[in-house]
Amino acid sequence: MPALKATKFEAEIVWLGRVADRGQTLQAQSAQALPLAFGGADNECHAGVTRASCSRVSALYETGTEISNVRQLSVLSQEELDQIAANMGLKSVDPAWVGASLVIKGIPDFTHVPPNARLQGPDGATITIDMENRPCVFPGRVIEGEHEGFGKTFKPAANGLRGVTAWVERPGTLTLGDKMRLFIPDQPVWSQLEVARGH
């Protein structure tokens, strides 16, 4: 019996990009297609089968510890980007400003899809969602360069809307206009979730 359940939700890819050197800027360069290997996208600063741990997993590891790289891709929804822009008082937020790898359209409340859900493209390319991508100050620095005075508003405006991080489960190529189907783990929400969160 499959542990992952196909859903009725399908998303259209509306933007693709790469961040070449995060040390210089988080701003991504747009692309028509994104070939994916097991280590992620070629010529992308987040690519690799392993990575150095960061603040996202600081409760587990000392910063810089080598761990498996489940943060190869940054995936956002167009609907949530539009909401972030509205929250900031901007007409739009360019996906390049937030270092997006992939922007999709068509899945409601995308940032909160279950961890370990999959998105599968038409050629079989499949990415696995790791977890919610928490807002940080780095996109704000890019936005400040584009719209002076707005950079500091990004982090609060993007709370709960920043999309997810993901990793490549099956290589392939994603192309603008492709449709990706959502698969979710076929299990109930853990009964002790609120207890574990300390509520």
Side-chain angles (χ1 to χ4, degrees):
M1 185 178 214
L4 288 161
K5 183 177 183 178
T7 73
K8 66 178 182 179
F9 293 102
E10 192 174 64
E12 180 184 356
I13 298 174
V14 296
W15 196 89
L16 293 165
R18 291 183 180 85
V19 177
D21 185 354
R22 189 178 176 194
Q24 287 189 335
T25 179
L26 183 70
Q27 186 153 350
Q29 298 297 316
S30 64
Q32 293 294 309
L34 197 65
L36 299 175
F38 284 116
D42 287 339
N43 302 314
E44 219 287 334
C45 69
H46 294 105
V49 175
T50 65
R51 71 178 181 95
S53 66
C54 63
S55 61
R56 291 164 52 84
V57 290
S58 60
L60 293 163
Y61 312 109
E62 182 179 336
T63 299
T65 303
E66 185 178 21
I67 61 173
S68 291
N69 186 9
V70 294
R71 197 259 170 270
Q72 296 169 351
L73 303 167
S74 174
V75 189
L76 296 94
S77 80
Q78 186 62 58
E79 294 90 344
E80 290 178 338
L81 273 176
D82 292 344
Q83 184 60 57
I84 292 169
N87 291 349
M88 295 176 70
L90 291 174
K91 184 176 180 181
S92 63
V93 171
D94 189 325
W97 300 346
V98 299
S101 311
L102 176 65
V103 178
I104 59 173
K105 186 175 184 178
I107 298 178
D109 193 24
F110 176 69
T111 291
H112 301 117
V113 296
N116 266 334
R118 268 67 161 180
L119 286 167
Q120 187 170 65
D123 75 347
T126 305
I127 62 174
T128 299
I129 291 167
D130 175 40
M131 65 174 82
E132 177 182 357
N133 193 7
R134 301 286 176 90
C136 66
V137 298
F138 298 114
R141 294 174 186 170
V142 177
I143 292 167
E144 186 65 21
E146 301 289 336
H147 294 279
E148 188 175 352
F150 284 89
K152 64 182 181 296
T153 67
F154 172 77
K155 189 173 177 181
N159 189 40
L161 301 167
R162 182 66 172 85
V164 300
T165 55
W167 54 275
V168 178
E169 182 170 68
R170 182 173 185 237
T173 299
L174 302 178
T175 305
L176 283 177
D178 279 354
K179 298 290 180 66
M180 300 189 80
R181 191 170 185 190
L182 178 68
F183 295 77
I184 60 169
D186 188 21
Q187 67 184 55
V189 175
W190 184 35
S191 65
Q192 300 302 304
L193 184 59
E194 294 306 313
V195 175
R197 284 176 168 165
H199 292 137

